[in-house]
Amino acid sequence: MIYAETEIQLKNGCTAVVRNARPENAKQMIEYLRTVSGESPFLLREPDEVNFTVEKERAILQNKAESPNEIMLTAYVNGELAGNCSLASQGDKRRTKHRCCVSIALYEKYCNLGLGRILLSTLLELAKQCGYTQAELGVIEGNERAKHVYESLGFKEYGFLPNSLRYSDGTARGEYFMVKEL
C-alpha cells in the first residue's frame, strides 16, 4: 500500500515526515531494529536476534509497498529515522480477513513527543480504508506508557498471557492483548 508522504508537527515543535518504508532503506531499517531492540525490554527480540539480510529486508519492504492491505510507515525527524509502525493482515480466509495487527516502535529519544499517537492514528485510518473492522495488538507488561496511548485510541484489553517474554537473566513479563473495533 502506498501512503502519500505527510509532514506533522510534534510537541517539541519539530516536524516529522511520515512516509512508506522504502526498499532502499533496508540497511537503515535493520540497524534501527537492532538499536530499538536494545533500548526497550518491550520488543520481541534481543539486538543480536535481528539477523535479516539486506536482501530479505528489502523484499519485505517491497512486499509491504505492493500489498493492497498491508503497510509499513516510517517517521523521520530532521532527516533521521525516528520510528516505524506496521499494519499486517491476520489472515486471508473469509472468517479472519476483517482482522489486522498493528505494531509500533520508536527510538527512545522520540518518545513522549506525540509521534507514536500520530503514527497509530494514521495506521488505524488506513486499516479502515483497507476494509478491516478490527485492529489487534499486544503490549508487554510494564509498558504503561504504550498501554495508555493504546487505551486513549480506543483499544480495550481482552486477555493476558503470563510469561510471554523470557529474558536472558531468567525474568519474564506477561503480555496484554488488546483490540479495537474500527
Side-chain angles (χ1 to χ4, degrees):
M1 169 186 290
I2 301 299
Y3 176 77
E5 187 173 296
T6 58
E7 290 187 0
I8 55 170
Q9 286 289 301
L10 302 179
K11 289 179 184 178
N12 66 356
C14 286
T15 300
V17 175
V18 178
R19 64 170 176 79
N20 283 81
R22 298 176 181 156
E24 61 266 25
N25 298 124
K27 184 174 190 246
Q28 179 186 40
M29 293 300 291
I30 293 168
E31 292 167 3
Y32 154 79
L33 188 53
R34 278 192 189 115
T35 301
V36 295
S37 294
E39 287 182 341
S40 174
F42 305 121
L43 299 178
L44 297 179
R45 328 176 152 79
E46 295 288 340
D48 64 337
E49 293 176 309
V50 179
N51 52 18
F52 308 119
T53 65
V54 172
E55 294 75 25
K56 181 177 179 183
E57 182 69 7
R58 188 176 289 123
I60 289 168
L61 298 176
Q62 186 66 44
N63 287 339
K64 289 283 188 187
E66 293 173 356
S67 172
N69 62 348
E70 295 192 357
I71 192 168
M72 183 179 294
L73 295 176
T74 53
Y76 288 81
V77 177
N78 298 323
E80 178 180 87
L81 179 62
N84 82 320
C85 62
S86 184
L87 170 68
S89 173
Q90 288 286 62
D92 62 353
K93 306 294 183 258
R94 287 188 305 270
R95 293 180 181 183
T96 60
K97 68 185 206 175
H98 67 286
R99 298 169 50 208
C100 65
C101 178
V102 297
S103 59
I104 185 168
L106 303 174
Y107 280 120
E108 184 61 36
K109 73 181 188 176
Y110 292 107
C111 291
N112 298 315
L113 298 176
L115 181 57
R117 177 181 306 281
I118 292 167
L119 286 173
L120 283 171
S121 295
T122 301
L123 208 63
L124 293 170
E125 280 304 313
L126 292 171
K128 283 185 206 175
Q129 291 173 24
C130 288
Y132 294 115
T133 59
Q134 182 170 301
E136 303 167 13
L137 58 79
V139 61
I140 302 302
E141 183 178 23
N143 195 353
E144 295 307 316
R145 179 173 60 192
K147 193 171 184 207
H148 172 75
V149 170
Y150 303 148
E151 288 170 341
S152 73
L153 291 172
F155 281 89
K156 305 276 188 235
E157 183 182 325
Y158 71 89
F160 180 78
L161 177 64
N163 303 311
S164 180
L165 298 186
R166 185 154 315 272
Y167 300 91
S168 300
D169 66 2
T171 62
R173 291 184 193 232
E175 182 175 8
Y176 295 98
F177 296 104
M178 302 185 81
V179 65
K180 175 182 171 65
E181 295 297 320
L182 300 174

